[in-house]
Amino acid sequence: MNEFELIRRYFAAARCAQGGDGVVLGIGDDCALLALPAGEQLAVSTDTLVAGVHFPAACDAFLLGQRALAVSASDLAAMGATPLAFTLALTLPSANETWLAEFARGLQTMAQNCALALVGGDTTRGPLSLTLTVFGRVPNGQALLRSGAQVGDLLCVGGELGDAAGALPLVLGQREAAADISEALLARYWSPQPQLALGQALRGRATAALDISDGLLADCGHIAKASQVALKIELEQVPLSAPLRAFAGEEQARICALGGGDDYRLAFTLPPALLADLQADWPEIRVIGRVQAGTGVELLDTTGQPIEPPRGGYQHF
Ligand code: ADP
Ligand code: MG
């Protein structure tokens, strides 16, 4: 199977590559063409996943396809963007047809889930690595930035944290757990659900937002810095799932939620008056702290006293 046959069979022929809203021209020419409605801006984000760094090289190809696109689509959610299209640059050690079919099926599943059309890419030989670029659209000036948090805002998250980091010993086959616990945690690692609808609902409401990929404390540090404010997080308010508590214990679960990565849930700052309306539609939203004057991120105990965080998020360099 040559390169062109591979592209045709597994990608150009995929259901998600048959076009969609805003796709004027998809796979097959030198560029894809996307159309934006008047008054909207293009949101663009790229993520690379390298075997052995971001996922185990021997992992299930279906799950990898799903996860790779979810991770990228989560950046669109964080900007409040409506999904449009994505490209896939794939580096493969060999053209293993079973692997490719499963990978393409996983990609298709998440593409459908997120309403993203595959419009192009690149295919090369080398150590397994994936680079996905996602494109979304957002009304002029309404994208959710990291830089708008205001003193007095609430700090909120879009649901329970730490499951994906807690699942790592299961992902790596280092530990086992009862089927219900292991299924729940592994699902949060392998098929995180980008909070796209929530991100769009936050447009015009949240003052700052991002998706938590490197750990709550590290990512909140980005909002604090970009907005030139201090974020105070109440440890007791950080939501932990029942499966994570059961698997890792309370203490370790907290460490996963604060410092572990891969949550792909939104963290955002919100004027207090807007909370009730939002929670009516998204009951999983939790207020975990407040925006104050100052700098940096501080963790507080139940009495409001500052406490030392267990450890920071993952950094590559
Ligand atoms: P070029 O030489 O112009 O870069 P390529 O031969 O790399 O074109 O690719 C041919 C077409 O197939 C292009 O439209 C490209 O976007 C698309 N393509 C290549 N690899 C992939 C892939 N892995 N997934 C989706 N589309 C791909
Ligand atoms: Mg090319």
Side-chain angles (χ1 to χ4, degrees):
M1 188 176 44
N2 68 24
E3 180 190 328
F4 299 109
E5 178 58 14
L6 186 161
I7 294 168
R8 195 199 58 75
R9 194 179 300 176
Y10 297 104
F11 301 113
R15 234 186 316 144
C16 59
Q18 307 314 307
D21 258 7
V23 178
V24 179
L25 185 66
I27 293 176
D29 215 309
D30 294 307
C31 286
L33 296 174
L34 303 178
L36 276 191
E40 301 208 343
Q41 294 170 321
L42 192 63
V44 182
S45 169
T46 292
D47 278 292
T48 295
L49 301 183
V50 177
V53 178
H54 301 97
F55 60 89
C59 75
D60 183 292
F62 172 84
L63 295 174
L64 179 63
Q66 247 194 3
R67 180 165 189 272
L69 188 54
V71 166
S72 293
S74 180
D75 284 321
L76 294 178
M79 294 301 278
T82 303
L84 200 55
F86 71 106
T87 61
L88 166 71
L90 184 60
T91 303
L92 291 169
S94 64
N96 178 322
E97 299 202 27
T98 314
W99 191 95
L100 276 163
E102 279 302 284
F103 175 78
R105 196 168 67 81
L107 204 66
Q108 165 60 39
T109 301
M110 192 53 71
Q112 186 171 345
N113 180 322
C114 297
L116 278 165
L118 177 60
V119 296
D122 201 19
T123 306
T124 51
R125 189 186 293 267
L128 180 60
S129 128
L130 321 163
T131 297
L132 285 93
T133 301
V134 288
F135 302 87
R137 54 187 181 83
V138 65
N140 283 347
Q142 284 193 38
L144 305 170
L145 309 184
R146 297 175 174 191
S147 53
Q150 300 295 313
V151 172
D153 284 347
L154 304 172
L155 174 62
C156 305
V157 291
E160 292 159 338
L161 303 179
D163 285 359
L168 267 185
L170 298 169
V171 172
L172 299 172
Q174 294 165 345
R175 257 192 81 183
E176 286 182 3
D180 54 338
I181 289 178
S182 135
E183 267 166 39
L185 296 180
L186 283 170
R188 289 279 301 128
Y189 179 88
W190 283 117
S191 49
Q193 300 298 312
Q195 297 194 290
L196 290 157
L198 174 59
Q200 289 165 57
L202 290 178
R203 294 202 299 241
R205 291 170 159 169
T207 51
L210 49 60
D211 64 320
I212 304 170
S213 56
D214 296 332
L216 176 69
L217 293 179
D219 285 321
C220 282
H222 299 315
I223 292 183
K225 190 161 186 221
S227 299
Q228 297 182 287
V229 294
L231 298 182
K232 309 288 177 181
I233 298 177
E234 293 168 45
L235 181 58
E236 288 289 328
Q237 302 305 321
V238 175
L240 305 172
S241 76
L244 178 61
R245 283 193 160 112
F247 179 63
E250 191 82 13
E251 183 63 27
Q252 199 59 35
R254 279 184 176 163
I255 291 177
C256 289
L258 295 171
D262 296 329
D263 284 305
Y264 303 108
R265 293 217 196 267
L266 300 185
F268 54 95
T269 54
L270 190 76
L274 305 183
L275 178 67
D277 248 17
L278 206 58
Q279 269 182 330
D281 290 331
W282 279 275
E284 63 273 36
I285 289 175
R286 290 282 179 281
V287 176
I288 61 163
R290 299 193 155 271
V291 182
Q292 292 184 358
T295 57
V297 179
E298 202 163 52
L299 204 55
L300 307 178
D301 68 13
T302 43
T303 70
Q305 290 308 302
I307 43 177
E308 268 307 301
R311 68 176 166 88
Y314 184 79
Q315 290 197 346
H316 286 269
F317 300 103

